[in-house]
Amino acid sequence: MTVHEVLSIGHPALRQRATETPLEQIASSEIQNLIDDLIDTMRHAHGAGIAANQIGATQRICVLEVNNNPRYPYKPKIPLTVAINPVVKTVGTGTFLNNEGCLSVPLRGDVKRFTSAHISYLDRHGDNQVFDAHGLTAATWQHEVDHLNGVLFIDKSDPATLTTWEEFETHHRPAFLERITNLQNEWTK
């Protein structure tokens, strides 16, 4: 297992669509080692998720986990999830404005995300997994699958809302937390 450098905006790998991983390759040491490296790299960088192309790998694999994350203390917990060939299908027309950050982009910005999504993927054992995600969890999945499609959050962000992490913490975090807390309360009613 290895912690990799996370590629930064401008690296061509971030703009390429990752390729599907054949079912018969999932058990290979190459894919299993990549999965372990993604987990170690995500945890080391305190990310909520990371896609394989963020470390220069071409496979359509991402990992997600939110558990007392210092970068995202407001996000609902997501157990460690390994998603191979994930598909996100948005459900309904409901959207919300999410303020997102990224391990590959040293900025934050507002992105319109669908409130609900139907998620399907293969886990690290090759078993099919299907569930529905809502709110910030749905947004996290949308963000990671965007990466696998070569799309960065800034492509969908209102440029006027882009800010550095430091300026977000200083000037924008309280308003965002209030907005997202109110939305989370609505979603749980």
Side-chain angles (χ1 to χ4, degrees):
M1 293 184 275
T2 306
V3 172
H4 291 262
E5 176 185 354
V6 178
L7 302 179
S8 294
I9 185 172
H11 194 288
L14 295 173
R15 294 304 191 167
Q16 295 173 349
R17 187 183 191 283
T19 57
E20 273 72 18
T21 301
L23 180 61
E24 62 272 9
Q25 290 181 11
I26 292 174
S28 71
S29 59
E30 176 190 355
I31 296 300
Q32 292 298 312
N33 288 338
L34 171 61
I35 290 167
D36 290 336
D37 290 354
L38 285 167
I39 293 166
D40 288 346
T41 302
M42 174 188 65
R43 287 177 172 168
H44 181 262
H46 301 294
I50 192 168
N53 50 350
Q54 287 182 273
I55 63 168
T58 60
Q59 291 83 3
R60 197 162 180 81
I61 301 172
C62 62
V63 297
L64 303 92
E65 182 179 45
V66 178
N67 187 12
N68 301 318
N69 188 314
R71 281 172 58 110
Y72 303 105
Y74 52 86
K75 282 192 174 204
K77 290 187 178 198
I78 299 174
L80 177 61
T81 305
V82 174
I84 301 168
N85 304 331
V87 175
V88 171
K89 293 182 180 176
T90 55
V91 177
T93 59
T95 61
F96 72 103
L97 207 53
N98 191 33
N99 187 277
E100 297 186 12
C102 180
L103 297 176
S104 293
V105 180
L107 299 171
R108 291 186 64 104
D110 287 348
V111 180
K112 187 185 288 187
R113 293 292 186 187
F114 284 91
T115 305
S116 297
H118 184 73
I119 315 294
S120 60
Y121 62 93
L122 299 173
D123 65 19
R124 78 179 301 162
H125 307 291
D127 296 327
N128 283 312
Q129 303 295 326
V130 177
F131 74 101
D132 292 324
H134 306 284
L136 289 171
T137 301
T140 301
W141 277 93
Q142 291 168 69
H143 179 106
E144 294 309 324
V145 172
D146 278 351
H147 271 299
L148 295 174
N149 291 330
V151 176
L152 298 175
F153 85 91
I154 59 169
D155 301 334
K156 296 181 172 188
S157 182
D158 174 355
T161 66
L162 293 176
T163 180
T164 64
W165 276 83
E166 182 179 305
E167 295 301 325
F168 172 79
E169 292 292 333
T170 302
H171 301 289
H172 306 284
R173 184 183 187 97
F176 170 68
L177 290 177
E178 181 179 344
R179 183 176 83 222
I180 209 65
T181 299
N182 290 337
L183 283 172
Q184 287 175 315
N185 290 336
E186 286 180 31
W187 295 328
T188 57
K189 287 182 181 176

